[in-house]
């Protein structure tokens, strides 16, 4: 009786030492492949057509490699590279109530990336939230704990400046009170209230004498502005006499 046996190599096996992507959308990933089993040397064919053992400069995603040993035996192995979510920002803004004021605020919320975050605003501020702002465009560059950065933009608005126009009726006869002021207000946020220098609170005035008048306009947001106008009158009628008296009585 005679005996014999057949042997086989150990199964092809692969281990991966991966470097995942730090910043969303970047191509900084790496795969370090180690092969054992089978019969060396080995050749590799990756799903991205690379043939090297190790890969670098990779984006996030799934990768597979088909390993062939010296005997032509093959096996396919799979791995994947991950990336953090993209940095994102949302703004909760408080716009300016009164034209030219600095009452605006920006409340910033950041997500994605790898916390904690730092901020650098276009006005050089580094806090997360801003206050005491004037109207205009603002941008913020957010950097996460991995050094990934993204820039986001927002805008604060303001109402148009309060403005007034006057359509005046001047006094016809010196000393009369026949003048009138027709006021038109624009800008700000209506409705408006008025306080005149003569204590009137109506929009338009009648029965006025000549002189200077001012009106303080307040809009619905409490913004105020003062405007000035005047009514004129002609000079008073005047007469001079050049008399020749009677020389002889009667």
């Amino acid at each position: 009786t005679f005996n014999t046996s057949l042997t086989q190599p150990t199964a092809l096996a692969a281990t991966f030492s991966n470097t995942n992507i730090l910043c969303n959308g970047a191509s900084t990933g790496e795969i370090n492949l180690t092969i054992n089993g089978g019969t060396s040397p080995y050749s590799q064919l990756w799903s991205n057509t690379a043939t090297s053992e190790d890969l670098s400069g990779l984006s996030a995603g799934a990768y597979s490699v088909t390993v062939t040993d010296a005997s032509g035996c093959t096996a396919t192995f799979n791995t994947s590279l991950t990336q953090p979510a993209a940095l994102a920002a949302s703004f909760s803004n408080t716009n300016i109530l009164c034209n030219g004021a600095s009452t605006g605020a920006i409340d910033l919320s950041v997500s994605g990336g790898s916390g904690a975050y730092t901020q650098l605003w276009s006005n050089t501020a580094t806090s997360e939230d801003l206050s005491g702002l004037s109207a205009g465009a603002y941008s913020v560059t957010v950097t996460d704990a991995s050094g990934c950065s993204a820039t986001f933009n927002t805008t604060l608005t303001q109402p148009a400046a309060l403005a007034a126009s006057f359509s005046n009726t001047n006094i016809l006869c010196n000393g009369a009170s026949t003048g009138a002021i027709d006021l038109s207000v624009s800008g700000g946020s209506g409705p408006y209230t008025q306080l005149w220098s003569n204590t009137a609170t109506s929009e338009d005035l009648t029965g006025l004498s000549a002189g200077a008048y001012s009106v303080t306009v307040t809009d619905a947001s409490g913004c105020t502005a003062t405007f000035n106008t005047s009514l004129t009158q002609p000079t008073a009628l005047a007469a001079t006499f050049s008399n020749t008296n009677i020389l002889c009585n009667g």
Side-chain angles (χ1 to χ4, degrees):
T1 300
F2 305 95
N3 298 293
T4 190
S5 60
L6 297 176
T7 64
Q8 64 180 356
T10 57
L12 283 167
T15 58
F16 300 98
S17 177
N18 293 350
T19 301
N20 290 311
I21 288 82
L22 285 179
C23 302
N24 184 280
S27 296
T28 56
E30 297 181 358
I31 301 175
N32 188 333
L33 172 66
T34 301
I35 303 169
N36 52 51
T39 306
S40 61
Y42 311 104
S43 62
Q44 302 79 212
L45 178 60
W46 290 88
S47 51
N48 66 351
T49 73
T51 57
S52 58
E53 182 178 23
D54 302 323
L55 303 182
S56 61
L58 300 176
S59 56
Y63 293 85
S64 65
V65 59
T66 298
V67 177
T68 303
D69 72 0
S71 299
C73 306
T74 63
T76 298
F77 306 96
N78 300 289
T79 190
S80 61
L81 295 179
T82 64
Q83 64 182 350
L87 282 167
S90 62
F91 300 97
S92 178
N93 292 351
T94 301
N95 290 313
I96 289 81
L97 286 178
C98 301
N99 184 280
S102 296
T103 56
I106 301 174
D107 185 346
L108 170 67
S109 297
V110 180
S111 61
S114 305
Y117 310 106
T118 60
Q119 300 79 211
L120 179 59
W121 291 87
S122 51
N123 65 352
T124 74
T126 56
S127 58
E128 183 178 25
D129 303 322
L130 302 182
S131 60
L133 301 175
S134 56
Y138 293 85
S139 65
V140 59
T141 298
V142 176
T143 304
D144 72 4
S146 298
C148 310
S149 63
T151 298
F152 306 96
N153 301 288
T154 191
T155 302
L156 295 180
T157 63
Q158 64 182 351
L162 282 167
S165 61
F166 300 99
S167 178
N168 293 350
T169 301
N170 290 310
I171 288 83
L172 288 177
C173 301
N174 185 278
S177 296
T178 57
I181 302 175
D182 185 347
L183 171 66
S184 295
V185 180
S186 61
S189 304
Y192 311 104
T193 60
Q194 300 78 212
L195 178 60
W196 291 88
S197 51
N198 66 352
T199 74
T201 57
S202 58
E203 183 177 27
D204 303 322
L205 303 182
T206 60
L208 301 175
S209 58
Y213 293 85
S214 65
V215 60
T216 298
V217 176
T218 304
D219 72 2
S221 298
C223 310
T224 63
T226 299
F227 306 97
N228 301 287
T229 191
S230 60
L231 296 178
T232 63
Q233 64 183 349
T235 57
L237 287 169
T240 58
F241 301 95
S242 177
N243 294 348
T244 301
N245 292 314
I246 293 88
L247 290 176
C248 302
N249 183 280

